[in-house]
Amino acid sequence: MGWINNAAAAVWSLGRRADDSDQDRYYGDDADFYYESVGKRSTAGVRITPMAAMRLSAFAACAKVLAETIASLPVSINKIMPDDGRQPWPSHPIAELIRYQPNRTQTAVEFWESIIFHTVLFGTGYAEIVPGPRGAVDQLKFLRSDRVVQDQLRDETLRFTVSNPNSGGSRVLLQDEVLRIPSLSLDGVNGLSMIDLAAEAIGLGVAADQYASRIFSNNLNMGGFITTQKRMSREAIRNLIARLMEKYASPENFHRPAILQDGAKFEPAAMKASEAQLLEARKWQIAELARYFRIPLHMLGVDDQTNRSTVEEQSINFVKYTIRPWARRIEQAVRRDLIIATGLYEIKFNLDALERGNLEARRNYWSSALGSGGAPGWMTVNEVRVAEGMNRINEPWADQVSRGGYEKASPTPAGQQRQGSDDETDAIAAPAPKIEDNTPEAVAARVANKENATLRKASQRFAADPDGLREFIKAFYGGHVSFVMSQLGISRPDAKRYCAHQRDEALKANDFLALLDHREEKLAGLIAAVLKQHGARNGEDAAVQA
């Protein structure tokens, strides 16, 4: 049967490339080339796919530092106050999602890590917006970017086709159903993948790693050479090597002197210039990838001989020029896709935790701005508090600029100007705080606008799914009670009755779009009229406290 085995071996070898063994080395024994992403072939001859890039330690470290740093930042949703201050608002429906648990599977840290990771690898991170008991945004479900195809429609809105490899099918999501966080973009819509931007640097790094691996796999590294003046037999060579290994190879024999006879000499093998250049090239590739991500080398485990002060300065620059742009990108994406009342609420990442190493410099700066040491200041206490993300103090002195030593002079009677004083300094007055418009018309407009905008978007999202629209309406008005209470200043039972009436009217409408048109025209006026009537009946002013 030997001829059968030979024939089978010959047939099996047909079509195999001469470098098949190299392919196994690149992709692994359990890899399937045909199921890998196509990727881009770099000039170094390496095909760059997301998984190939992640096998490069420098790229993986950059992506991990970026994703883990952003995911670990404290984030909160704040209400914008009339005086431009910010009040934390943990009762907002999306506060729980962005801070703790966006869906039933992931924590907030895991969710943001996945979003940033896929934004780096594929250019854009996606999450599906799922309505439910909390309103229009009840869950945020992470979507794999490699399974999402993004298209721009004629009306300039976006459509997303999400494929399911398990079922082989796909489904379509509209722009209002997706949280989208793109990276740097050329057309303003499609984000650029870091793999495409840094393909050549990644390819060169992978090629250098493969070359270094081949050097060690070929076992060509030797500790040194023994030369003699006369020819030695094979038996003598074997005996000499065995004797040297026995006497000097173990750790306890390190630095033990050796005696070579018959003119034999030991010459240690020095590192070749090509090997030294390989190490320098690999170190250079780490710096090259760090440049793409704007990440300091000390965060990638590279000892570049920098002192402590330089490391601290680099860490501050990392927060300013790397993390802050990403945080701002996420904040504005959440505002666009998740927040309905964009003029009232915003989310904010707290970067102070990353800048604590420079608190001493900030303290000195603010002290000077407030007029420490008897010198005139140029900022008020409230201005400093707002700059630090804190609320204003409702005290007259908190809105006055310190004049330092000049404050010891005798007070000037009201209505008179002090002789010899600086006119501009004396003319400084506390800015008049802005007062929120709480008239019946204003609060009614806020409630009506939120309802109308939410239901109008829902009518577009569920245009082909009447049952889905009905469930959305029920969920929305279930979570709308607190907003109605806070804005109209009414009790919870009254707010529940209002929401139940609006819900039932929407569910029973034969022409839902006609009902929306009617509400957009009349609803705010009707609510304002009821508020005025209620105030007059109870002997109250026309204004209703929100």
Side-chain angles (χ1 to χ4, degrees):
M1 300 297 290
W3 65 273
I4 297 180
N5 295 334
N6 294 336
V11 173
W12 179 255
S13 64
L14 290 177
R16 288 179 61 87
R17 300 188 301 269
D19 59 346
D20 275 354
S21 59
D22 292 338
Q23 291 293 332
D24 292 339
R25 183 178 301 151
Y26 299 159
Y27 297 102
D29 296 334
D30 57 346
D32 193 332
F33 174 80
Y34 299 100
Y35 289 93
E36 287 280 345
S37 301
V38 175
K40 176 182 179 181
R41 186 176 291 277
S42 67
T43 306
V46 178
R47 190 177 299 278
I48 306 302
T49 65
M51 289 309 300
M54 287 304 298
R55 293 189 186 105
L56 184 62
S57 62
F59 184 91
C62 289
K64 277 173 58 63
V65 167
L66 189 62
E68 292 174 352
T69 303
I70 295 175
S72 63
L73 287 175
V75 60
S76 62
I77 183 163
N78 304 323
K79 185 175 182 180
I80 305 174
M81 307 307 291
D83 58 356
D84 286 338
R86 299 297 187 268
Q87 178 70 33
W89 211 256
S91 61
H92 193 281
I94 72 168
E96 174 76 14
L97 304 182
I98 63 175
R99 296 174 64 191
Y100 300 114
Q101 190 165 5
N103 53 63
R104 295 186 180 94
T105 305
Q106 293 178 299
T107 65
V109 171
E110 296 167 351
F111 174 80
W112 291 120
E113 276 183 347
S114 301
I115 288 285
I116 300 301
F117 217 62
H118 275 243
T119 304
V120 170
L121 291 178
F122 301 98
T124 306
Y126 301 98
E128 181 181 358
I129 303 172
V130 181
R134 278 180 285 205
V137 185
D138 186 63
Q139 291 189 70
L140 295 174
K141 291 187 176 180
F142 168 71
L143 298 175
R144 286 186 51 168
S145 300
D146 55 340
R147 297 177 182 174
V148 178
V149 177
Q150 177 177 294
D151 300 309
Q152 190 168 22
L153 305 180
R154 292 182 178 179
D155 60 355
E156 296 186 353
T157 61
L158 300 178
R159 179 181 64 189
F160 308 92
T161 303
V162 184
S163 61
N164 187 340
N166 297 324
S167 64
S170 62
R171 56 196 178 99
V172 175
L173 299 175
L174 301 180
Q175 182 171 336
D176 292 336
E177 298 176 276
V178 174
L179 169 64
R180 178 179 62 92
I181 302 177
S183 63
L184 185 69
S185 175
L186 292 177
D187 58 6
V189 177
N190 299 289
L192 294 175
S193 167
M194 191 62 70
I195 293 178
D196 292 335
L197 291 175
E200 295 300 328
I202 297 171
L204 191 56
V206 173
D209 283 353
Q210 293 174 354
Y211 178 72
S213 299
R214 289 175 180 174
I215 290 178
F216 288 104
S217 65
N218 290 332
N219 298 320
L220 292 179
N221 295 292
M222 293 174 285
F225 306 90
I226 297 177
T227 60
T228 61
Q229 298 177 355
K230 62 179 182 179
R231 184 179 182 86
M232 298 178 62
S233 65
R234 292 185 177 181
E235 184 67 23
I237 293 175
R238 284 195 293 267
N239 292 336
L240 177 59
I241 294 176
R243 186 67 175 173
L244 289 174
M245 294 297 294
E246 178 184 357
K247 291 288 186 181
Y248 307 106
S250 58
E252 60 269 16
N253 293 323
F254 284 173
H255 306 294
R256 183 178 179 181
I259 298 176
L260 301 178
Q261 299 177 352
D262 299 330
K265 295 180 180 179
F266 177 78
E267 298 179 3
M271 178 180 289
K272 298 179 182 178
S274 59
E275 294 177 1
Q277 291 173 1
L278 173 61
L279 295 177
E280 289 297 324
R282 298 185 70 190
K283 186 175 181 179
W284 170 259
Q285 286 310 114
I286 297 177
E288 185 76 0
L289 286 172
R291 187 177 296 114
Y292 275 100
F293 285 88
R294 285 204 301 259
I295 293 179
L297 289 178
H298 71 270
M299 292 187 173
L300 304 180
V302 177
D303 183 13
D304 54 353
Q305 305 300 322
T306 55
N307 55 42
R308 181 179 179 85
S309 60
T310 304
V311 168
E312 181 178 353
E313 187 66 25
Q314 289 178 354
S315 299
I316 295 173
N317 290 336
F318 172 69
V319 176
K320 289 182 178 179
Y321 306 119
T322 304
I323 299 301
R324 185 170 61 184
W326 276 95
R328 190 64 174 162
R329 186 190 307 274
I330 298 173
E331 291 169 357
Q332 295 193 352
V334 171
R335 180 184 183 276
R336 177 195 62 207
D337 297 334
L338 301 183
I339 297 178
I340 297 175
T342 54
L344 289 177
Y345 300 100
E346 67 177 12
I347 79 159
K348 193 71 175 177
F349 284 95
N350 185 2
L351 303 181
D352 288 344
L354 299 179
E355 295 179 336
R356 285 176 181 170
N358 201 33
L359 286 179
E360 181 70 18
R362 290 165 61 192
R363 183 183 68 82
N364 294 335
Y365 175 78
W366 293 133
S367 296
S368 300
L370 293 174
S372 65
W378 62 86
M379 295 183 71
T380 67
V381 171
N382 276 336
E383 288 174 340
V384 173
R385 292 179 65 87
V386 170
E388 286 290 306
M390 296 182 288
N391 295 324
R392 290 175 174 266
I393 298 175
N394 294 325
E395 296 290 344
W397 56 264
D399 290 307
Q400 296 177 357
V401 177
S402 172
R403 291 176 296 183
Y406 295 105
E407 292 181 341
K408 299 179 181 179
S410 59
T412 303
Q416 299 182 13
Q417 181 175 329
R418 185 188 302 118
Q419 297 295 328
S421 63
D422 187 351
D423 295 342
E424 295 183 358
T425 303
D426 288 340
I428 295 176
K434 293 187 295 183
I435 302 176
E436 185 177 13
D437 189 357
N438 288 326
T439 60
E441 290 81 3
V443 296
R446 289 199 286 268
V447 173
N449 290 342
K450 179 179 179 180
E451 286 188 43
N452 295 333
T454 302
L455 295 182
R456 179 67 70 180
K457 289 183 177 181
S459 67
Q460 299 173 355
R461 182 185 307 173
F462 299 101
D465 186 7
D467 293 334
L469 179 60
R470 292 176 62 84
E471 293 300 321
F472 176 85
I473 292 173
K474 295 177 183 178
F476 169 72
Y477 279 108
H480 192 45
V481 175
S482 298
F483 183 78
V484 173
M485 288 176 57
S486 64
Q487 293 298 316
L488 302 186
I490 60 179
S491 63
R492 179 172 290 275
D494 290 339
K496 285 185 176 180
R497 282 193 291 271
Y498 168 82
C499 291
H501 174 271
Q502 295 294 95
R503 178 199 62 204
D504 295 341
E505 183 183 50
L507 293 175
K508 295 176 181 178
N510 294 326
D511 190 342
F512 185 68
L513 295 180
L515 174 65
L516 288 182
D517 294 338
H518 176 74
R519 285 188 176 182
E520 289 174 349
E521 181 180 356
K522 302 290 186 181
L523 181 58
L526 292 174
I527 297 176
V530 172
L531 291 177
K532 290 180 179 180
Q533 182 181 2
H534 174 77
R537 183 169 61 248
N538 291 276
E540 300 171 358
D541 295 334
V544 177
Q545 296 300 321

